[in-house]
Amino acid sequence: MRTTRLPYVTFHEEPAEAEVVSHRLMLRGGYVKKVAGGLYDFLPLGARVLRRIESIIREEMDRAGAFEVLMPALQPAELWQATDRWDKYGKELFRIQDRHDRSFALGPTHEEVVTDLARGLLRSYRQLPVTLYQIQTKFRDEMRPRFGLMRGREFVMKDAYSFARSGEEGAACYREMQEAYFRIFSRLGLAVRMVEADTGMIGGSSSHEFMVLAPSGEDTVVFCPSCSWASNIELAGEATHCPLCQERLERTTAIEVGHVFDLGQRYSQPMEAGFLDPDGRETLFHMGCYGIGVSRLLAAAIEQSHDDGGIIWPLAMAPWAICVLPLAGKDQEMTAKGERIAAIIEERFPGEVLIDDREARPGVKFADADLCGFPLQVILGERNLREDRVELKVRKTGERHLLPVSGLPEWIGDFLGRPGSMVDTLILDR
RNA sequence: CGGGGCGUGGCGCAGCCUGGUAGCGCACUCCCUUGGGGUGGGAGUGGUCGAAGGUUCAAAUCCUUUCGCCCCGACCA
């Protein structure tokens, strides 16, 4: 892709209405544009990141044996009334009426809808257990949307729901999703910590949150520095020492990017959702639900990985992994050479190469490439190119390598595969 | 919802106190210049000042109402 064909603008100046660094950098880098409070356009750059996150989530959910579905965002009030949440969910639930004055909710979550789906679809114990998931826009009338994508009124979420024959089987589903979540966050290059959490409005018997540790996080987690115990602040209460090993607890701020719940029969019971067991008896589903804040992940990743120059995307999230910067100005020949080199790299890494073919000064290209956070920059300067060499800069570390043009794709391939170099797979705890 | 702040070209701001009919920087278009970390110069495009009402010969500026946005708090998959 050529930057001259890419509809994006970067900004040198700080947007006045953005507080947190992820929000500022996404606005400055041309990733998102605000439409209204808590509502954003995803521009081409931002949409690509979103797609990359989604595809990794899909792969890992599928690998875990879950099935993708798509449920309506618009949900009839009757379903919510059946579980009493039409009254209990409160003002955060967007409610609208159709032309016949029938009431609907714009879904902030899908327990009711999916339970309604399952009770028709899953009639026999032979079909169980099953986990269904979707990636979809959710709506919440937040009392105070803020921090850009961190807390919007509309956002993209992956939500999954498991249906099991028993509590034991449900617990197995729950563990399987936990494992899938660790794989997802690991592949995304995020350092996450799983903590015990409150079940809140969703209900159920147990719950864990997946937290990205970041100074700007809205949540606080309490953790033990020497063993694996961790909890969110609500649940930890006044505790000062680890319940497992008595070590003095520490705390840090974090961003909640995932949350899993063991729901038990919280929804299957009021909605009378069940199946026939081997003895022909109607039995209620044991359910679990599992969410990942997909759009929030962009913000969380940036909060965790940036510097004064801008965003530092983990390899898996970057809109393009490689940005080719011909420092050509009006030199048509150099631009053409740059495009040939970009094409060679593209052959080995399809869809991963962006070439900055603008007629801009080197400083502008460097600044924009850093701001947008492309993991690798292939810099084509006149002197080096004369000797058939290019410079490769690693955004994250700042290290630079001078390489012969001939072996470039192979070198990049080796480099990207080098453990620990680009993909930060740090998992602090499980 | 309570407290505070702010709404002036796409973005960042000045002008408002002391009314006289809109200005600067960035971006954008064109020309010249420069060419390894946001080069320098020149010429342009674009706003009626969040909205409504009022005061006045005259309102971005004063008054009233209203809408929106941001921050803090309560709250929260």
Side-chain angles (χ1 to χ4, degrees):
Chain A
M1 174 57 65
R2 295 177 166 85
T3 51
T4 52
R5 299 303 309 149
L6 180 66
Y8 84 120
V9 216
T10 56
F11 300 93
H12 198 186
E13 284 167 315
E14 293 288 347
E17 292 185 337
E19 178 75 1
V20 296
V21 65
S22 60
H23 192 196
R24 291 205 304 266
L25 291 176
M26 276 189 280
L27 288 168
R28 282 188 54 208
Y31 280 87
V32 297
K33 179 188 178 304
K34 190 176 78 178
V35 176
L39 302 172
Y40 291 86
D41 289 320
F42 281 85
L43 305 184
L45 240 38
R48 276 183 76 97
V49 178
L50 205 53
R51 274 217 314 264
R52 302 216 147 185
I53 296 173
E54 289 173 0
S55 77
I56 286 177
I57 291 175
R58 282 200 171 87
E59 283 176 27
E60 293 301 334
M61 293 306 290
D62 291 348
R63 187 202 303 271
F67 296 95
E68 183 167 10
V69 296
L70 185 56
M71 293 178 272
L74 195 57
Q75 311 175 356
E78 295 79 67
L79 289 179
W80 285 75
Q81 284 156 352
T83 59
D84 221 24
R85 288 209 296 179
W86 183 256
D87 295 322
K88 293 213 170 118
Y89 206 90
K91 288 183 177 167
E92 288 201 3
L93 186 64
F94 271 112
R95 298 156 207 259
I96 60 175
Q97 259 142 22
D98 71 6
R99 63 176 75 200
H100 307 298
D101 280 338
R102 291 189 52 197
S103 294
F104 292 84
L106 282 175
T109 178
H110 281 244
E111 283 78 17
E112 283 81 359
V113 175
V114 79
T115 304
D116 177 59
L117 167 61
R119 66 183 166 188
L121 185 67
L122 309 172
R123 294 303 306 137
S124 159
Y125 75 96
R126 296 175 192 276
Q127 297 171 284
L128 303 176
V130 166
T131 298
L132 304 174
Y133 78 96
Q134 64 174 350
I135 295 176
Q136 192 202 43
T137 298
K138 298 287 193 258
F139 300 86
R140 268 198 226 163
D141 196 355
E142 289 285 348
M143 59 180 67
R144 188 177 154 208
R146 62 182 138 178
F147 302 150
L149 297 187
M150 213 90 97
R151 183 170 293 278
R153 290 192 287 185
E154 178 182 320
F155 54 95
V156 180
M157 168 173 273
K158 187 286 300 178
D159 47 327
Y161 307 88
S162 62
F163 299 87
R165 290 172 279 206
S166 65
E168 195 175 288
E169 191 172 83
C173 293
Y174 187 85
R175 283 192 299 274
E176 200 162 12
M177 280 298 119
Q178 286 180 331
E179 294 300 315
Y181 274 32
F182 279 116
R183 283 197 299 272
I184 288 166
F185 296 124
S186 166
R187 285 186 59 186
L188 290 174
L190 294 170
V192 302
R193 182 137 198 163
M194 185 175 80
V195 306
E196 291 179 29
D198 187 44
T199 53
M201 177 57 66
I202 296 288
S205 57
S206 82
S207 154
H208 289 87
E209 290 171 338
F210 289 77
M211 310 297 257
V212 165
L213 306 184
S216 61
E218 287 189 280
D219 297 292
T220 300
V221 302
V222 177
F223 66 97
C224 173
S226 57
C227 78
S228 68
W229 189 85
S231 167
N232 76 7
I233 188 80
E234 290 87 8
L235 216 60
E238 299 301 308
T240 56
H241 290 79
C242 178
L244 299 183
C245 68
Q246 314 311 316
E247 185 74 26
R248 189 166 184 81
L249 294 172
E250 294 180 19
R251 55 181 57 190
T252 181
T253 55
I255 301 162
E256 178 190 347
V257 292
H259 202 153
V260 296
F261 298 84
D262 187 333
L263 296 173
Q265 301 178 337
R266 164 70 183 86
Y267 294 89
S268 52
Q269 195 268 322
M271 294 186 70
E272 299 178 335
F275 59 95
L276 289 182
D277 74 8
D279 300 324
R281 283 182 310 225
E282 188 71 29
T283 310
L284 294 174
F285 294 123
H286 189 101
M287 292 173 56
C289 79
Y290 318 93
I292 290 179
V294 179
S295 42
R296 181 183 277 185
L297 273 173
L298 307 222
I302 295 171
E303 291 296 331
Q304 191 167 78
S305 177
H306 66 271
D307 62 16
D308 290 344
I311 299 167
I312 302 174
W313 286 118
L315 186 62
M317 280 197 208
W320 281 274
I322 302 150
C323 187
V324 178
L325 310 175
L327 307 180
K330 283 182 176 163
D331 184 347
Q332 298 289 321
E333 218 172 294
M334 156 99 75
T335 304
K337 205 162 182 181
E339 284 180 358
R340 283 200 296 278
I341 289 172
I344 290 168
I345 304 172
E346 175 100 25
E347 209 168 293
R348 168 82 182 261
F349 303 98
E352 294 289 2
V353 182
L354 179 70
I355 178 167
D356 192 346
D357 59 340
R358 294 176 300 175
E359 217 178 80
R361 303 258 319 169
V364 174
K365 294 190 178 187
F366 290 142
D368 277 349
D370 285 351
L371 174 61
C372 293
F374 306 113
L376 286 178
Q377 296 173 14
V378 178
I379 300 165
L380 311 180
E382 201 185 337
R383 274 186 296 278
N384 287 330
L385 220 45
R386 222 181 286 137
E387 295 160 25
D388 262 347
R389 291 193 302 190
V390 301
E391 179 182 337
L392 205 143
K393 178 188 161 186
V394 181
R395 175 68 181 90
K396 182 176 179 172
T397 59
E399 64 188 287
R400 292 161 189 273
H401 302 269
L402 218 51
L403 301 166
V405 173
S406 53
L408 196 55
E410 290 69 30
W411 197 93
I412 293 175
D414 290 347
F415 187 79
L416 296 185
R418 213 163 82 193
S421 65
M422 292 303 304
V423 188
D424 186 351
T425 55
L426 179 64
I427 294 296
L428 293 182
D429 166 43
R430 31 176 59 205

Short mmCIF file of all heavy atoms in Angstrom, two decimals, chain A residues 96 105 135 164 190 254 278 353:
data_model
loop_
_atom_site.label_atom_id
_atom_site.label_comp_id
_atom_site.label_asym_id
_atom_site.label_seq_id
_atom_site.Cartn_x
_atom_site.Cartn_y
_atom_site.Cartn_z
N ILE A 96 -35.00 1.57 23.33
CA ILE A 96 -35.67 2.30 22.25
C ILE A 96 -37.00 1.62 21.94
O ILE A 96 -37.25 0.48 22.36
CB ILE A 96 -34.82 2.37 20.97
CG1 ILE A 96 -34.53 0.97 20.45
CG2 ILE A 96 -33.54 3.13 21.20
CD1 ILE A 96 -33.79 0.99 19.12
N ALA A 105 -33.94 -3.25 23.57
CA ALA A 105 -32.67 -2.80 24.14
C ALA A 105 -31.62 -2.88 23.05
O ALA A 105 -31.67 -3.77 22.20
CB ALA A 105 -32.27 -3.70 25.31
N ILE A 135 -18.40 -11.61 17.49
CA ILE A 135 -17.67 -10.34 17.61
C ILE A 135 -18.62 -9.29 17.07
O ILE A 135 -19.04 -9.38 15.91
CB ILE A 135 -16.35 -10.36 16.82
CG1 ILE A 135 -15.41 -11.40 17.42
CG2 ILE A 135 -15.72 -8.97 16.82
CD1 ILE A 135 -14.11 -11.58 16.66
N ALA A 164 -23.21 -26.18 29.28
CA ALA A 164 -22.68 -27.47 29.73
C ALA A 164 -23.75 -28.25 30.48
O ALA A 164 -24.77 -27.70 30.89
CB ALA A 164 -21.47 -27.25 30.62
N LEU A 190 0.61 -8.76 24.50
CA LEU A 190 0.24 -7.98 25.68
C LEU A 190 0.63 -8.71 26.96
O LEU A 190 0.49 -9.92 27.06
CB LEU A 190 -1.27 -7.74 25.69
CG LEU A 190 -1.82 -6.86 24.57
CD1 LEU A 190 -3.33 -6.91 24.57
CD2 LEU A 190 -1.34 -5.43 24.76
N ALA A 254 -4.54 -0.92 36.21
CA ALA A 254 -4.64 -1.83 35.07
C ALA A 254 -5.89 -1.54 34.27
O ALA A 254 -6.80 -0.84 34.72
CB ALA A 254 -4.66 -3.28 35.56
N PRO A 278 -29.65 -38.13 29.71
CA PRO A 278 -29.77 -39.53 29.22
C PRO A 278 -31.01 -40.23 29.75
O PRO A 278 -31.52 -41.17 29.12
CB PRO A 278 -28.50 -40.19 29.74
CG PRO A 278 -27.52 -39.08 29.91
CD PRO A 278 -28.32 -37.89 30.31
N VAL A 353 3.18 -4.58 3.94
CA VAL A 353 4.12 -3.52 3.56
C VAL A 353 3.40 -2.23 3.17
O VAL A 353 2.54 -2.21 2.30
CB VAL A 353 5.01 -3.98 2.38
CG1 VAL A 353 6.02 -2.89 2.05
CG2 VAL A 353 5.72 -5.28 2.73
#
